[in-house]
Amino acid sequence: MAVTQSGAAEGPQASASAEATSELLELSLGYMYSAALNSAARFGIADHLVDGPRTAGELAEAVGVNASHLYRILRYLATKEVFREDEAGRFHLTPRAQPLRSDSERSLREYITVCGEAPFWEPAGRLHEAVRTGTTAFEGQYGSSFYNYVATHPDFGQAFNSAMASVSEAMSDDIADACDFSQAKTLVDVGGGQGGLLRSILRRNPQLTGTLFDLENVVAGHVLDTPDLAGRWHTEAGDFFVSVPAGADVYFLKQVLASWPDEQCLSILRTCRSAMPAHGRLLVANPMIPAGNEPHPGKTVDMMMMTVLNGRNRTRAEYEELLTATGFEVTRFLEPSPHASVVEAVLTAES
C-alpha cells in the first residue's frame, strides 16, 4: 500500500471514496437532467430530428431559441443517451429520445413538459419539509390539495389531464392485454381519466360495454368517441368517495389508489364494494414496490406522491391489506409492466 507524504494511505479504499464523491456530486445535481429534459420537450427538439440529424444552430433557428445554450443542453442530455452528437456536431435521435416525439406511439412529451410546471417542480424542492412534518409539500406551499388546485386552475388542469392521458396510453395496452375479460359483459373504469384504458379494453373485448367514471371536467375530454366503439360506452360524472355506477361485472381502479393516503383508499374501496354485485371483480393497477435495493419506477414515483399528491406507492402486501380490510379477497396478481401491476379481488363471502 502506498503512503503519501502526509502519511495518508492510498489504495482501494481511497479510490472508492473518490469514486463515491464523484457519484454523489452527480446525484446532487440530478435535477438539472430533469430541467434539461423538460426544455427539450417544450421546444419539440425530437420532432425536429425525425427527418435526420441537425446541428444545435439549425435546431435553434427552427424553434426560436439561443443556439449556444441549446447546444449545451443537448450535449448534457447526450451523456444519458438522450440524443447523440456526431463528429460533425449534429445531434441524432436515439432510442431513448423517441418518446419525446409528439407522434411517438408512447409519447411522453406532454407528461415531461407538465412535470416541469411549478406545481410539480416547486414542491420537490421542499421535500425536506414533507419529511420533517409528515405532510405533503404541495399543500404546505399552495395551501390546498393538488386536485383542488387542478380544479381551480383550468389551464394547468387541462395540461395535467392531457399529460396523464398520454402517459397512461403507454401502459394501457399492456394492462388490457394481460387481464382476462372474456367472461364479463360490463365494466366501470373508476377514476378513469379520459378513457385511454377503457378504450384499449373495449377494443380487445367486443362483448364488453363500458362506463367511464370520473369528475365532470375530466370525462368531458374523453377519447372514446371512435367509430369502432360506437354504442359500447358511456360516460358518467361523479365523486368516487360518494358513489360509483352499480351492477357491473368488473370495476377497474388504475393509478387511483396510489394518489391517496390509506384512509381515502379505504373509502374508495368501500364505495366500489357497495356498488358491486356478488359476482363482480375488482382490478387495482398501480406500480407495486418490490423488496430490495434495486431501482424501480414505483420508488421514483413515490417521491412525487410524497411531495405533490399526498398519496403513496405501496407493496403488494400493503395493497392486499387495504383490500382485505374492505371486504375483498385477492384472487390473482399480474405484472404486465413495472409501471402497473394488477391485483384482482372479489367480494368475500361475508360481504
Side-chain angles (χ1 to χ4, degrees):
M1 177 181 293
V3 178
T4 65
Q5 290 183 345
S6 65
E10 289 184 341
Q13 188 172 1
S15 297
S17 176
E19 182 180 354
T21 299
S22 178
E23 290 173 350
L24 277 178
L25 285 172
E26 185 75 4
L27 283 172
S28 72
L29 294 172
Y31 63 91
M32 296 308 306
Y33 285 112
S34 299
L37 190 63
N38 177 266
S39 296
R42 286 178 184 271
F43 299 135
I45 298 301
D47 290 345
H48 288 276
L49 293 175
V50 171
D51 295 328
R54 304 175 76 174
T55 66
E58 291 168 338
L59 290 166
E61 185 176 356
V63 302
V65 299
N66 180 273
S68 175
H69 280 45
L70 180 61
Y71 172 77
R72 291 159 68 184
I73 283 177
L74 297 180
R75 178 180 62 185
Y76 184 52
L77 289 174
T79 68
K80 295 295 186 182
E81 299 180 10
V82 181
F83 309 118
R84 177 179 63 84
E85 184 183 9
D86 64 22
E87 296 81 358
R90 299 174 303 173
F91 286 91
H92 297 243
L93 276 177
T94 59
R96 189 166 289 177
Q98 291 291 342
L100 285 174
R101 290 172 51 182
S102 300
D103 61 351
S104 172
E105 184 179 352
R106 296 189 173 212
S107 177
L108 294 176
R109 183 185 174 191
E110 287 186 89
Y111 178 79
I112 291 170
T113 299
V114 84
C115 283
E117 296 289 345
F120 282 99
W121 186 263
E122 292 176 353
R126 298 173 61 87
L127 177 60
H128 61 284
E129 285 296 320
V131 174
R132 185 179 64 81
T133 62
T135 58
T136 303
F138 182 94
E139 294 182 11
Q141 184 160 358
Y142 286 88
S144 72
S145 73
F146 177 79
Y147 287 115
N148 283 341
Y149 182 92
V150 168
T152 55
H153 293 75
D155 289 343
F156 175 77
Q158 183 177 358
F160 170 74
N161 289 329
S162 180
M164 293 304 103
S166 71
V167 74
S168 174
E169 198 78 19
M171 66 184 77
S172 291
D173 287 347
D174 296 335
I175 295 172
D177 285 335
C179 297
D180 180 10
F181 300 99
S182 60
Q183 303 304 308
K185 294 183 178 179
T186 56
L187 179 147
V188 178
D189 190 0
V190 179
Q194 296 181 340
L197 174 64
L198 181 57
R199 181 177 61 185
S200 293
I201 293 172
L202 292 178
R203 284 176 171 167
R204 288 160 174 76
N205 298 272
Q207 85 287 356
L208 267 180
T209 59
T211 301
L212 177 64
F213 182 81
D214 211 314
L215 298 174
E216 184 172 1
N217 65 304
V218 178
V219 298
H222 72 82
V223 295
L224 298 171
D225 194 9
T226 60
D228 59 323
L229 300 182
R232 297 178 51 211
W233 59 270
H234 74 278
T235 64
E236 187 170 332
D239 182 350
F240 51 46
F241 289 112
V242 178
S243 66
V244 300
D249 298 324
V250 180
Y251 287 78
F252 216 121
L253 289 167
K254 173 176 166 285
Q255 303 285 52
V256 172
L257 298 185
S259 299
W260 300 95
D262 287 353
E263 282 304 312
Q264 281 86 345
C265 288
L266 294 172
S267 177
I268 294 167
L269 289 171
R270 292 187 186 107
T271 303
C272 290
R273 184 193 63 192
S274 298
M276 290 173 61
H279 70 275
R281 287 188 296 151
L282 176 69
L283 299 175
V284 175
N286 286 289
M288 296 191 190
I289 297 179
N293 300 313
E294 296 302 312
H296 188 273
K299 297 176 183 179
T300 303
V301 176
D302 190 47
M303 294 298 96
M304 184 179 71
M305 297 297 176
M306 187 166 20
T307 56
V308 177
L309 291 175
N310 196 24
R312 59 180 300 178
N313 278 336
R314 299 174 173 86
T315 65
R316 175 179 173 178
E318 288 171 328
Y319 276 112
E320 291 182 354
E321 185 177 346
L322 290 172
L323 289 162
T324 300
T326 47
F328 289 96
E329 176 185 354
V330 175
T331 56
R332 188 177 303 175
F333 179 79
L334 304 168
E335 198 159 15
S337 85
H339 297 274
S341 301
V342 181
V343 177
E344 178 184 278
V346 297
L347 298 176
T348 56
E350 58 269 23
S351 294

